[in-house]
Amino acid sequence: MLATRNRMRTSAAFSHTVRSGVRNGRRNVVLYVVSTLSEEPSQIGFIVSKAIGNAVTRNLVKRRLREIAVDTVRRHPYGVNVVVRALPASAAASWGELVNDYQRAFSKVESGLSASASGTAG
């Protein structure tokens, strides 16, 4: 379960992460990730629109993505904000496909954050 302190709740936090973050998309999800202060707890937000399906389908997708995101918080408890946008294909995706897409997108974005951080330092 994703702890309350790790849930993104304000529209300002969503907007900042989507506009300023590094983005990577896969078949089922698009991830936006931005670095924050190292002492701030990592926060994760989800965008699951009506294009995904009815309320039951949207909630299923959101629960699956939330469970997948718990691993991100375990590996990065501080200093990262993530917004996960579910794409319509995620409604029919299996658990393994969602996990694979999320992890690949996050690793790609993570390397992009590292490159941009080292680029600003030098």
Side-chain angles (χ1 to χ4, degrees), residues 82-101:
V82 180
V83 170
V84 182
R85 179 184 302 273
L87 298 176
S90 64
S94 69
W95 170 256
E97 291 170 333
L98 282 177
V99 170
N100 189 29
D101 280 358

Side-chain angles (χ1 to χ4, degrees), residues 20-70:
S20 305
V22 179
R23 178 180 70 91
N24 189 277
R26 297 288 174 191
R27 182 173 190 267
N28 298 305
V29 294
V30 178
L31 263 63
Y32 303 88
V33 180
V34 67
S35 294
T36 62
L37 298 174
S38 59
E39 61 271 358
E40 288 183 17
S42 294
Q43 291 188 330
I44 300 181
F46 302 92
I47 301 172
V48 183
S49 73
K50 287 186 177 182
I52 303 301
N54 62 19
V56 174
T57 304
R58 291 193 309 270
N59 286 328
L60 174 66
V61 169
K62 197 182 310 183
R63 281 193 310 270
R64 286 178 170 181
L65 291 173
R66 195 177 295 135
E67 188 60 35
I68 295 166
V70 168

